[in-house]
Amino acid sequence: RRACVRKFSKPMYGINLTMNQTNHSLIPPPAKYGGRHTVTLIPGDGIGPELLNHVKELFRFSCVPVDFEVVNVSSATEDDINNAITAIRRNGVALKGNIETLHTLPASHKSRNNLLRTSLDLYANVMHCKSLPGVQTRHNNIDIMIIRENTEGEYSSLEHESVSGVVECLKIITRTNSLRIAEYAFKLAREKGRKRVTAVHKANIMKLGDGLFLQCCREVAAGYPDIAFDAMIVDNTTMQRYTMSKPQQFDVMVMPNLYGNVVSNVCAGLVGGPGLVPGANYGRDYAVFETATRNTGKSIADRNIANPTAMLLASCMMLDHLKLHDYATMIRNAVLTTMNETQLHTADIGGQGTTSEVVQAIMRNIQSKGPLTSEL
Amino acid sequence: IFNLSPSLEFVLIFQPAGVRVLYSLLWFCVFQPPPARYGGRHTVTLIPGDGIGPELLSHVRELFRFCCVPVDFEVVNVDSTMTSEDDINDAITAIRRNGVALKGNIETNHNLPPSFISRNNLLRTSLDLYANVMHCQSLPGVRTRHRNIDIIIIRENTEGEYSSLEHESVSGVVECLKIITRTNSLRIADYAFRLARERGRRRVTAVHKANIMSLGDGLFLQCCKEVAAGYQDIAFDAMIVDNTTMQLVSKPQQFDVMVMPNLYGNVVSNVCAGLVGGPGLVPGANYGTDYAVFECGTRNTGKSIADGNIANPTAMLLASCLLLDHLRLHAYATMIRRAVIATVTETRLHTADLGGQGSTSDVVQSIMKEIQSTGPLTQNI
């Protein structure tokens, strides 16, 4: 085990890409038993199972020292999701597909994904939207980090119908959580050498709620004088993307839950679609990785046309989290090479390739670059 | 009364002695009562607002005077710095009296206490202007990343997240109430389908987040489905707001008419405004059962560009055309709209927000010249 690690100690690959090293001093180093990590795998619905199979296949091919504990969650009872949560508590890390939320079920049935996030207190959802050179989009040079509060806000699932025909949905904003997410945002900005943090809000209408969020961000910003801080109303933010003034003006953005949902989807659309961007949910003790836009992809399930890039990049983020940086860089380089140079694209970005072709190409790329497998 | 697309042709006959105008087109009169006319002239409340509002509205008045539009403006100033509600109440009374208004956006100061409700919001809820209609169309001369966009966004304007009901029951924990009611959801859905039918649109998409807010947005969605059942000729589908915004930035041509609650409406309408060229191009209309208020679609105050003669007057001028259509002065509306579109097509005259060098007054002068060159009325003078 030690010999393998030492072999990869210096960067030896031609493509110079920044590694997604997130040094979270708050999260304890992950446990390793016999040199191998155990990661909970939740296949979910739609395209989740097939993409995660590809991840497993790729990991096995690359000899990544990760074992997957598969926990299936069906949308019916609460036992399944509780088992999944227990497994994640045990392992500390998870990789998941999106679990479908049926609208027809009664309101007491909470979204499984939401339940997972709140139970594990995964308070920060981080999404890094970066324009990929090989993908043709209408905007270039986008490099935005979106940090979204993941547990409260509009997603509190507290609704009631006090009078018949009148529904009240509660949006909760708390000082502790707002301070926490702002602190996370600024710390991440500092670690990644970012210059500016923009808070997105709607405080002209929701004065108390978003006003509190904004105030917390300002308080935290005062402790980081090297990073510029500004605030922008959410409607102006979504519009700025598209006018002649460029989306390039945004650097790091921090926001409550619902705006985060919308803004992250807008950014994902800007860089090329839901198949390209990975997302990470960080808590103090746990981390769960998934595709950023959390799509189930029911309509394209089991047809071998889904784009595996987002899920594979999410697995690379997971490897970085487990401090297996060399494996992470190796797989990430291969994925990006396939995307940018080989130009093997799936249908969602205008190509003809199938999922398995893309994964095969990635494996071939790893094989050609990696000393480990070429020595066999 | 809904605005017409500029491509509709009509025959205009003027009697030199008076202002009798004959139309050769049939207007659809729905549920708005005909506006009051005294001596053949309409009175419209004008609320200058803050930022670029005053200068753009003075351009509107200038243009109306130039075109001899039979509209008188009753100007009501609303001071956004004062906390008393007298100003806005005066404005609301004036609108109740006149039935129609044209307004700039009134600034909401974040530093005032939470009991201070946004003046724009107060106006909308007091007058029960329940439908905000924004028609986003790609304009020929404006260079954007997407072409052929033609989306009508109908946004519930009075409830939802904008109920201004917030409280801090425990220190450090704020609860904001988002209200969705059955009556208002049915009302806005009905408005949307009726508008779609009148404009000959094929599809209405409801935008929601019912997977998370299952009771609230679930009720909205259910109301939309019920109303859709009564309009068999129009297709209805629903889409979650995050998917909608992502589809909008990649393939906006797939959308036709969209109906949604208040906050999603805010975001989606701003995304669409950005898609067709920015906040300076899209007008917005707020319709209620008895009143109508017209403004820029994206409701920007534009403080940073105020008084710099660089604001884009197109949105406000197109909003005034919507106003004229509402007052059944369709000839004037089409005349001004045609001139505005012709000027926007002229790239040389684009203002800074469209990437050009033109000033506001240049654009307005050009519109006036355009009207003069095509309009029979001023040529006879």
XYZ file of all heavy atoms in Angstrom, chain A residues 101 103 107 138-139 154-155 159-160 165-175 201-202 204-209 212 235 238-239 242-244 258-259 261-262 265-266 268-270 274 293, chain B residues 108 110 114 116 143 145-146 162 166 172-182 208-209 211-216 219 242 245-246 249 263-264 266-267 270-271 274-275 278-279 298 353:
729
model
N -38.773 11.639 -5.879
C -39.829 12.026 -4.948
C -41.131 12.067 -5.723
O -41.293 12.875 -6.635
C -39.542 13.428 -4.370
O -38.216 13.447 -3.878
C -40.504 13.751 -3.256
N -44.721 13.028 -6.487
C -45.583 14.126 -6.068
C -46.916 13.632 -5.552
O -47.595 14.327 -4.817
C -45.881 15.055 -7.254
C -44.664 15.667 -7.844
N -44.703 16.700 -8.711
C -43.352 15.385 -7.697
C -43.490 17.026 -9.091
N -42.657 16.248 -8.490
N -48.457 14.640 1.677
C -47.461 15.648 2.033
C -46.587 15.235 3.203
O -45.505 15.759 3.388
C -48.172 16.961 2.353
N -22.558 28.766 -25.050
C -22.627 30.146 -25.500
C -21.772 31.069 -24.653
O -21.561 32.209 -24.990
C -24.079 30.612 -25.458
C -24.920 29.846 -26.459
C -26.391 30.195 -26.323
N -27.228 29.169 -26.896
C -27.616 29.135 -28.156
N -27.264 30.094 -28.970
N -28.361 28.168 -28.613
N -21.324 30.573 -23.519
C -20.467 31.388 -22.675
C -19.162 30.650 -22.452
O -19.149 29.446 -22.288
C -21.106 31.611 -21.298
C -22.367 32.387 -21.351
N -22.409 33.744 -21.194
C -23.635 31.998 -21.534
C -23.645 34.147 -21.282
N -24.421 33.119 -21.485
N -36.287 27.213 2.415
C -37.605 26.802 1.933
C -37.786 25.294 1.996
O -38.892 24.787 1.776
C -37.804 27.254 0.486
C -37.796 28.757 0.301
C -36.406 29.373 0.273
O -35.435 28.644 0.539
O -36.289 30.564 -0.013
N -36.702 24.590 2.255
C -36.758 23.136 2.230
C -37.022 22.556 3.613
O -36.682 21.426 3.884
C -35.435 22.585 1.697
C -35.248 22.762 0.206
C -35.436 23.982 -0.406
C -34.873 21.692 -0.589
C -35.251 24.134 -1.758
C -34.680 21.832 -1.949
C -34.875 23.062 -2.530
O -34.687 23.208 -3.871
N -45.223 22.600 6.258
C -46.359 23.215 5.572
C -47.618 22.821 6.305
O -47.701 21.743 6.872
C -46.475 22.690 4.137
C -45.270 22.911 3.261
C -45.507 22.323 1.895
O -45.494 21.091 1.770
O -45.722 23.100 0.962
N -48.610 23.662 6.282
C -49.887 23.260 6.854
C -51.005 24.024 6.185
O -50.813 25.095 5.613
C -49.915 23.498 8.373
C -49.549 24.898 8.742
N -48.248 25.292 8.949
C -50.307 26.003 8.933
C -48.228 26.562 9.253
N -49.445 27.021 9.252
N -58.037 25.519 1.667
C -57.742 26.295 0.473
C -56.643 27.315 0.669
O -56.279 28.031 -0.259
N -56.108 27.421 1.857
C -54.998 28.350 2.117
C -53.846 27.546 2.701
O -53.983 26.969 3.775
C -55.405 29.462 3.105
C -54.216 30.369 3.395
C -56.568 30.259 2.569
N -52.742 27.506 1.989
C -51.592 26.735 2.465
C -50.496 27.686 2.895
O -50.189 28.646 2.210
C -51.059 25.812 1.343
C -49.803 25.098 1.785
C -52.121 24.805 0.964
N -49.903 27.415 4.041
C -48.761 28.197 4.495
C -47.520 27.322 4.467
O -47.506 26.250 5.064
C -48.983 28.684 5.927
C -50.052 29.732 6.063
C -50.202 30.188 7.516
O -49.642 29.545 8.411
O -50.901 31.176 7.731
N -46.508 27.800 3.752
C -45.226 27.082 3.760
C -44.260 27.921 4.564
O -44.156 29.120 4.346
C -44.650 26.949 2.355
S -45.791 26.266 1.168
N -43.574 27.317 5.476
C -42.627 28.075 6.299
C -41.232 28.011 5.720
O -40.716 26.937 5.410
C -42.621 27.526 7.717
C -43.812 27.998 8.524
C -44.456 26.834 9.210
C -43.359 29.018 9.539
N -40.658 29.164 5.598
C -39.246 29.227 5.205
C -38.486 29.666 6.451
O -38.730 30.746 6.983
C -39.086 30.245 4.078
C -37.660 30.768 3.895
C -37.579 31.753 2.767
C -36.282 32.567 2.850
N -35.954 33.198 1.594
N -37.583 28.836 6.892
C -36.870 29.109 8.149
C -35.460 29.588 7.845
O -34.747 28.944 7.070
C -36.748 27.844 9.016
C -38.050 27.085 9.034
C -36.240 28.171 10.394
C -39.055 27.569 10.010
N -35.085 30.695 8.427
C -33.686 31.142 8.338
C -33.213 31.317 9.771
O -33.855 32.015 10.549
C -33.567 32.492 7.601
C -34.174 32.416 6.215
C -32.122 32.932 7.518
C -33.284 32.023 5.121
N -32.122 30.685 10.135
C -31.605 30.847 11.498
C -30.245 31.499 11.456
O -29.495 31.394 10.482
C -31.453 29.498 12.220
O -30.621 28.666 11.412
C -32.784 28.822 12.410
N -29.942 32.169 12.560
C -28.673 32.860 12.666
C -27.507 31.875 12.652
O -26.504 32.100 11.958
C -28.694 33.662 13.968
C -27.613 34.676 14.043
C -27.797 35.568 15.272
N -26.554 36.226 15.535
C -26.054 37.191 14.771
N -26.705 37.608 13.735
N -24.889 37.725 15.057
N -29.696 37.126 -2.424
C -30.787 37.224 -1.446
C -32.011 37.880 -2.064
O -32.007 38.237 -3.237
C -30.312 38.087 -0.265
C -30.047 39.506 -0.680
N -30.952 40.517 -0.504
C -28.988 40.075 -1.290
C -30.461 41.644 -0.995
N -29.261 41.404 -1.464
N -33.024 38.046 -1.280
C -34.205 38.815 -1.712
C -34.678 39.601 -0.502
O -35.817 39.488 -0.050
C -35.284 37.849 -2.221
C -36.480 38.497 -2.869
C -36.262 38.840 -4.317
C -37.426 39.667 -4.859
N -37.078 40.484 -5.992
N -35.209 42.682 -0.057
C -36.136 43.803 -0.197
C -37.565 43.328 0.054
O -38.432 44.111 0.446
C -36.005 44.469 -1.575
C -36.040 43.472 -2.702
O -35.926 42.275 -2.490
N -36.195 43.949 -3.918
N -37.796 42.027 -0.155
C -39.128 41.494 0.096
C -39.150 40.731 1.420
O -39.987 40.965 2.274
C -39.563 40.576 -1.064
C -39.644 41.354 -2.373
C -40.877 39.907 -0.737
C -40.762 42.345 -2.437
N -38.207 39.825 1.583
C -38.161 39.034 2.819
C -37.129 39.644 3.742
O -36.016 39.154 3.894
C -37.865 37.578 2.460
C -39.115 36.934 1.898
S -38.884 35.276 1.285
C -38.476 35.604 -0.422
N -37.559 40.760 4.359
C -36.607 41.573 5.120
C -36.017 40.856 6.312
O -34.841 40.947 6.586
C -37.316 42.812 5.637
C -37.651 43.785 4.582
C -38.000 45.071 5.280
C -38.363 46.145 4.305
N -38.917 45.710 3.065
N -36.875 40.198 7.073
C -36.376 39.565 8.282
C -35.512 38.363 7.919
O -34.387 38.226 8.386
C -37.542 39.090 9.160
C -37.998 40.005 10.279
C -39.026 39.292 11.126
C -36.838 40.434 11.143
N -36.084 37.521 7.071
C -35.409 36.267 6.742
C -34.102 36.483 5.996
O -33.008 36.219 6.509
N -31.627 38.691 7.713
C -30.781 38.009 8.698
C -29.626 37.300 8.009
O -28.472 37.371 8.451
C -31.627 37.015 9.497
C -30.897 36.139 10.514
C -30.262 36.981 11.598
C -31.847 35.128 11.120
N -33.093 38.098 -8.418
C -33.566 38.269 -9.794
C -32.513 38.958 -10.645
O -32.282 38.594 -11.801
C -34.922 38.983 -9.850
C -34.968 40.245 -9.023
O -33.907 40.742 -8.598
O -36.079 40.755 -8.806
N -29.818 36.282 -11.613
C -30.136 35.367 -12.703
C -30.155 36.099 -14.032
O -29.893 35.512 -15.068
C -31.501 34.702 -12.476
O -32.428 35.666 -12.002
C -31.378 33.588 -11.458
N -30.419 37.422 -13.987
C -30.437 38.135 -15.246
C -29.041 38.476 -15.717
O -28.746 38.464 -16.902
C -31.248 39.416 -15.089
C -31.399 40.153 -16.384
S -32.650 41.373 -16.238
C -32.014 42.339 -14.913
N -27.113 36.628 -18.330
C -27.469 36.579 -19.710
C -27.376 37.849 -20.495
O -27.541 37.848 -21.688
C -28.872 35.975 -19.884
C -28.660 34.587 -20.300
C -28.442 33.622 -19.361
C -28.490 34.285 -21.638
C -28.108 32.368 -19.762
C -28.164 33.040 -22.035
C -27.977 32.087 -21.096
O -27.643 30.840 -21.481
N -27.216 38.941 -19.834
C -27.092 40.172 -20.613
C -25.673 40.292 -21.142
O -24.839 39.427 -20.947
C -27.405 41.384 -19.730
O -26.614 41.309 -18.560
C -28.849 41.403 -19.352
N -25.399 41.350 -21.822
C -24.074 41.501 -22.401
C -23.011 41.487 -21.309
O -21.889 41.079 -21.546
C -23.984 42.821 -23.176
C -24.983 42.898 -24.305
S -24.651 41.692 -25.572
C -23.600 42.626 -26.638
N -33.291 27.824 -1.585
C -34.037 27.834 -2.845
C -33.315 28.598 -3.937
O -33.244 28.164 -5.085
C -35.429 28.440 -2.648
C -36.298 28.366 -3.914
C -36.636 26.941 -4.250
C -37.566 29.175 -3.734
N -32.744 29.742 -3.580
C -32.019 30.504 -4.592
C -30.836 29.680 -5.070
O -30.465 29.714 -6.245
C -31.510 31.837 -4.041
C -32.548 32.616 -3.288
C -32.195 33.377 -2.190
C -33.881 32.593 -3.655
C -33.125 34.095 -1.490
C -34.821 33.302 -2.952
C -34.444 34.053 -1.868
O -35.371 34.751 -1.160
N -30.739 26.497 -5.369
C -31.271 25.535 -6.321
C -31.367 26.144 -7.703
O -30.869 25.609 -8.693
C -32.650 25.113 -5.810
C -33.291 24.047 -6.660
O -33.309 24.125 -7.874
N -33.806 23.036 -6.002
N -32.004 27.319 -7.769
C -32.229 27.949 -9.073
C -30.911 28.403 -9.691
O -30.613 28.113 -10.854
C -33.177 29.154 -8.902
C -33.241 29.938 -10.163
C -34.548 28.679 -8.503
N -28.726 25.651 -10.970
C -29.209 25.083 -12.223
C -28.948 26.004 -13.400
O -28.633 25.556 -14.503
C -30.696 24.765 -12.124
C -30.920 23.385 -11.546
O -31.017 22.408 -12.267
N -30.943 23.293 -10.228
N -29.064 27.315 -13.170
C -28.743 28.255 -14.242
C -27.269 28.100 -14.631
O -26.918 28.017 -15.808
C -29.027 29.711 -13.806
C -28.521 30.685 -14.832
C -30.511 29.919 -13.613
N -25.326 25.521 -14.155
C -25.094 24.227 -14.793
C -25.498 24.296 -16.258
O -24.816 23.782 -17.134
C -25.881 23.135 -14.081
N -26.617 24.980 -16.519
C -27.032 25.147 -17.907
C -26.027 25.939 -18.698
O -25.806 25.688 -19.878
N -25.396 26.913 -18.055
C -24.430 27.749 -18.761
C -23.185 26.982 -19.179
O -22.617 27.250 -20.227
C -24.003 28.921 -17.866
C -25.009 30.035 -17.646
C -24.410 31.065 -16.721
C -25.381 30.679 -18.947
N -26.764 19.357 -17.219
C -26.703 18.608 -15.966
C -25.760 17.433 -15.993
O -25.437 16.868 -14.955
C -28.146 18.113 -15.804
C -28.693 18.062 -17.188
C -28.042 19.159 -17.931
N -26.947 18.837 -10.152
C -28.321 19.274 -10.382
C -29.341 18.248 -9.926
O -30.532 18.440 -10.080
C -28.548 19.578 -11.868
O -28.006 18.504 -12.626
C -27.855 20.859 -12.258
N -36.768 50.199 -2.369
C -37.029 49.698 -1.018
C -35.717 49.688 -0.258
O -34.791 48.963 -0.600
C -37.586 48.263 -1.064
O -38.661 48.214 -1.982
C -38.059 47.824 0.295
N -33.242 48.678 2.389
C -33.106 47.492 3.235
C -32.928 47.843 4.702
O -33.169 47.028 5.583
C -31.878 46.658 2.837
C -31.922 46.166 1.434
N -31.082 45.200 0.960
C -32.701 46.482 0.391
C -31.337 44.970 -0.304
N -32.310 45.723 -0.678
N -38.337 45.908 9.440
C -39.112 44.943 8.657
C -40.599 45.266 8.577
O -41.291 44.770 7.700
C -38.911 43.621 9.396
C -37.747 43.826 10.249
C -37.649 45.276 10.558
N -41.754 47.914 7.590
C -41.904 48.761 6.412
C -42.054 47.870 5.186
O -41.106 47.231 4.760
C -40.649 49.637 6.293
C -40.648 50.539 5.106
C -41.240 51.784 5.178
C -40.047 50.154 3.918
C -41.225 52.629 4.082
C -40.032 50.989 2.824
C -40.622 52.227 2.898
N -28.448 41.740 -30.485
C -27.602 40.557 -30.561
C -27.644 39.807 -29.225
O -27.224 40.322 -28.203
C -26.171 40.999 -30.882
C -25.257 39.894 -31.374
C -23.978 40.484 -31.985
N -23.344 41.475 -31.128
C -22.395 41.193 -30.243
N -21.985 39.969 -30.088
N -21.860 42.148 -29.516
N -27.523 35.622 -27.322
C -26.987 34.294 -27.570
C -28.040 33.312 -28.060
O -27.726 32.260 -28.582
C -26.328 33.762 -26.297
C -25.119 34.566 -25.919
C -24.565 34.153 -24.584
N -23.805 35.213 -23.957
C -22.509 35.399 -24.095
N -21.812 34.578 -24.823
N -21.905 36.403 -23.487
N -29.292 33.641 -27.836
C -30.365 32.767 -28.302
C -31.257 33.556 -29.231
O -31.496 34.731 -29.040
C -31.211 32.279 -27.122
C -30.462 31.415 -26.171
N -30.330 30.059 -26.329
C -29.803 31.731 -25.042
C -29.632 29.580 -25.338
N -29.305 30.554 -24.538
N -44.231 36.658 -1.307
C -44.243 38.101 -1.131
C -45.332 38.545 -0.180
O -45.813 39.658 -0.242
C -44.474 38.782 -2.494
C -43.270 38.746 -3.408
C -42.613 37.564 -3.680
C -42.817 39.895 -4.018
C -41.520 37.536 -4.509
C -41.739 39.883 -4.866
C -41.087 38.692 -5.101
O -40.018 38.660 -5.936
N -43.453 37.801 8.216
C -42.261 37.185 8.787
C -42.277 37.441 10.286
O -42.763 38.464 10.739
C -40.995 37.831 8.227
C -40.851 37.762 6.729
C -39.590 38.469 6.294
O -39.568 39.715 6.321
O -38.623 37.780 5.946
N -32.895 34.654 16.721
C -31.977 34.003 15.801
C -32.642 33.027 14.853
O -31.981 32.442 14.012
N -33.944 32.846 14.978
C -34.668 31.954 14.061
C -35.805 32.748 13.435
O -36.693 33.214 14.135
C -35.258 30.737 14.805
C -36.069 29.874 13.846
C -34.162 29.922 15.454
N -35.743 32.913 12.121
C -36.765 33.698 11.436
C -37.643 32.770 10.617
O -37.150 31.880 9.932
C -36.112 34.743 10.509
C -37.163 35.457 9.696
C -35.311 35.733 11.319
N -38.941 32.966 10.712
C -39.864 32.202 9.872
C -40.500 33.141 8.862
O -41.085 34.149 9.235
C -40.980 31.583 10.726
C -40.518 30.431 11.589
C -41.657 29.859 12.418
O -42.755 30.439 12.451
O -41.430 28.826 13.047
N -40.396 32.806 7.594
C -41.073 33.579 6.561
C -42.205 32.718 6.035
O -42.001 31.563 5.708
C -40.145 33.882 5.390
S -38.594 34.599 5.848
N -43.381 33.298 5.954
C -44.517 32.507 5.488
C -44.733 32.688 4.002
O -44.775 33.810 3.497
C -45.780 32.927 6.240
C -45.856 32.331 7.624
C -46.225 33.371 8.637
C -46.870 31.212 7.639
N -44.866 31.592 3.334
C -45.224 31.625 1.917
C -46.656 31.118 1.841
O -46.936 29.996 2.217
C -44.288 30.714 1.132
C -44.823 30.313 -0.233
C -43.840 29.415 -0.958
C -44.517 28.678 -2.111
N -43.553 28.156 -3.056
N -47.551 31.978 1.366
C -48.970 31.610 1.351
C -49.378 31.234 -0.067
O -49.114 31.981 -1.014
C -49.850 32.804 1.793
C -49.251 33.517 3.000
C -51.273 32.363 2.018
C -49.500 32.850 4.290
N -50.040 30.118 -0.209
C -50.639 29.749 -1.505
C -52.107 29.474 -1.216
O -52.427 28.675 -0.328
C -49.991 28.487 -2.088
C -48.487 28.647 -2.225
C -50.624 28.106 -3.409
C -47.999 29.170 -3.516
N -52.987 30.129 -1.931
C -54.408 29.873 -1.703
C -55.040 29.300 -2.963
O -54.577 29.528 -4.080
C -55.164 31.164 -1.345
O -54.919 32.108 -2.395
C -54.710 31.744 -0.042
N -56.114 28.587 -2.734
C -56.807 27.937 -3.840
C -57.443 28.974 -4.768
O -57.339 28.878 -5.987
C -57.890 27.023 -3.253
C -58.442 26.076 -4.230
C -59.368 25.071 -3.552
N -60.166 24.430 -4.553
C -59.698 23.569 -5.459
N -58.434 23.221 -5.432
N -60.485 23.060 -6.364
N -43.071 24.969 -10.819
C -43.362 24.723 -9.402
C -42.186 24.051 -8.727
O -41.160 23.775 -9.351
C -44.589 23.805 -9.312
C -44.298 22.441 -9.880
N -43.910 21.378 -9.089
C -44.276 21.973 -11.138
C -43.697 20.317 -9.862
N -43.918 20.659 -11.097
N -42.307 23.785 -7.455
C -41.315 22.995 -6.736
C -42.080 22.080 -5.803
O -41.886 22.089 -4.585
C -40.371 23.933 -5.984
C -39.178 23.269 -5.346
C -37.990 23.115 -6.268
C -36.924 22.277 -5.581
N -36.083 21.542 -6.509
N -42.029 18.937 -5.403
C -41.384 17.788 -4.768
C -40.894 18.155 -3.363
O -40.768 17.314 -2.489
C -40.242 17.248 -5.632
C -39.286 18.336 -6.069
O -39.579 19.526 -5.954
N -38.142 17.948 -6.569
N -40.626 19.451 -3.162
C -40.198 19.882 -1.831
C -41.379 20.510 -1.081
O -41.666 20.162 0.054
C -39.041 20.902 -1.953
C -37.826 20.262 -2.609
C -38.693 21.453 -0.594
C -37.149 19.213 -1.776
N -42.060 21.455 -1.738
C -43.186 22.096 -1.062
C -44.461 21.428 -1.567
O -45.189 21.965 -2.397
C -43.152 23.599 -1.346
C -42.044 24.253 -0.531
S -41.756 25.982 -0.894
C -40.469 25.840 -2.104
N -44.703 20.241 -1.056
C -45.762 19.433 -1.651
C -47.156 19.979 -1.392
O -48.031 19.862 -2.225
C -45.669 17.987 -1.180
O -45.091 17.904 0.086
N -47.384 20.589 -0.236
C -48.712 21.137 0.017
C -48.908 22.420 -0.785
O -49.886 22.574 -1.512
C -48.897 21.463 1.499
C -49.610 20.441 2.364
C -49.849 21.046 3.747
C -50.937 20.045 1.770
N -47.967 23.333 -0.635
C -48.097 24.642 -1.251
C -48.106 24.590 -2.765
O -49.107 24.872 -3.428
N -50.748 22.411 -4.265
C -52.057 23.051 -4.444
C -52.079 23.874 -5.716
O -53.038 23.835 -6.499
C -52.358 23.932 -3.223
C -53.642 24.755 -3.265
C -54.847 23.853 -3.353
C -53.751 25.622 -2.017
N -36.091 24.339 -10.963
C -34.664 24.255 -11.276
C -34.435 23.715 -12.684
O -33.590 24.246 -13.426
C -33.890 23.449 -10.225
C -34.535 22.126 -9.885
O -35.402 21.651 -10.638
O -34.153 21.542 -8.858
N -35.194 26.600 -15.168
C -34.149 27.600 -15.385
C -32.999 27.019 -16.176
O -32.391 27.706 -17.003
C -33.625 28.161 -14.053
O -33.448 27.094 -13.130
C -34.599 29.157 -13.475
N -32.727 25.736 -15.962
C -31.637 25.140 -16.722
C -32.009 25.009 -18.191
O -31.212 25.296 -19.078
C -31.297 23.765 -16.137
C -30.074 23.161 -16.771
S -29.339 21.912 -15.740
C -30.697 20.835 -15.500
N -31.788 28.393 -20.023
C -30.501 28.906 -20.487
C -29.899 28.049 -21.576
O -28.947 28.457 -22.228
C -29.485 29.085 -19.326
C -30.051 29.974 -18.262
C -29.048 27.788 -18.749
N -42.469 33.973 -6.464
C -41.009 34.033 -6.445
C -40.388 33.396 -7.674
O -39.447 33.943 -8.262
C -40.450 33.347 -5.186
C -38.933 33.485 -5.059
C -38.529 34.906 -4.780
C -38.404 32.570 -3.972
N -40.907 32.270 -8.095
C -40.358 31.649 -9.298
C -40.586 32.570 -10.481
O -39.760 32.670 -11.385
C -41.007 30.287 -9.582
C -41.107 29.386 -8.376
C -42.195 28.534 -8.222
C -40.125 29.377 -7.403
C -42.299 27.717 -7.128
C -40.224 28.565 -6.303
C -41.319 27.748 -6.166
O -41.430 26.935 -5.074
N -40.549 35.773 -10.433
C -39.508 36.783 -10.352
C -38.227 36.288 -11.007
O -37.653 36.930 -11.886
C -39.264 37.082 -8.869
C -38.272 38.176 -8.642
O -37.245 38.238 -9.274
N -38.608 39.062 -7.740
N -37.790 35.105 -10.609
C -36.534 34.580 -11.121
C -36.636 34.249 -12.603
O -35.802 34.661 -13.414
C -36.123 33.329 -10.319
C -34.956 32.644 -10.964
C -35.790 33.710 -8.908
N -36.771 37.220 -14.871
C -35.476 37.870 -15.033
C -34.547 37.067 -15.927
O -33.776 37.635 -16.711
C -34.833 38.105 -13.669
C -35.314 39.410 -13.059
O -34.699 40.437 -13.230
N -36.439 39.367 -12.392
N -34.610 35.751 -15.825
C -33.796 34.929 -16.719
C -34.209 35.193 -18.162
O -33.367 35.414 -19.039
C -33.938 33.429 -16.379
C -33.242 32.571 -17.407
C -33.357 33.131 -15.016
N -33.074 38.497 -19.414
C -31.663 38.413 -19.780
C -31.470 37.722 -21.111
O -30.604 38.087 -21.892
N -32.301 36.720 -21.401
C -32.164 35.977 -22.653
C -32.452 36.843 -23.867
O -31.819 36.675 -24.912
C -33.144 34.802 -22.679
C -32.861 33.608 -21.797
C -33.986 32.617 -21.913
C -31.565 32.952 -22.197
N -31.888 41.877 -21.942
C -31.619 42.663 -20.756
C -32.827 43.411 -20.228
O -33.902 43.417 -20.837
N -32.644 44.077 -19.091
C -33.780 44.734 -18.444
C -34.274 45.956 -19.184
O -35.359 46.453 -18.896
C -33.208 45.147 -17.079
C -31.751 45.269 -17.306
C -31.389 44.264 -18.329
N -38.692 44.022 -15.498
C -37.831 43.518 -14.441
C -37.767 44.436 -13.231
O -37.012 44.193 -12.304
C -36.408 43.299 -14.979
O -36.036 44.462 -15.712
C -36.356 42.102 -15.880
N -26.455 49.337 -22.329
C -26.771 47.979 -21.868
C -26.852 46.987 -23.011
O -26.731 45.774 -22.797
C -28.092 47.977 -21.078
C -29.261 48.400 -21.932
O -29.127 49.378 -22.686
O -30.318 47.764 -21.841
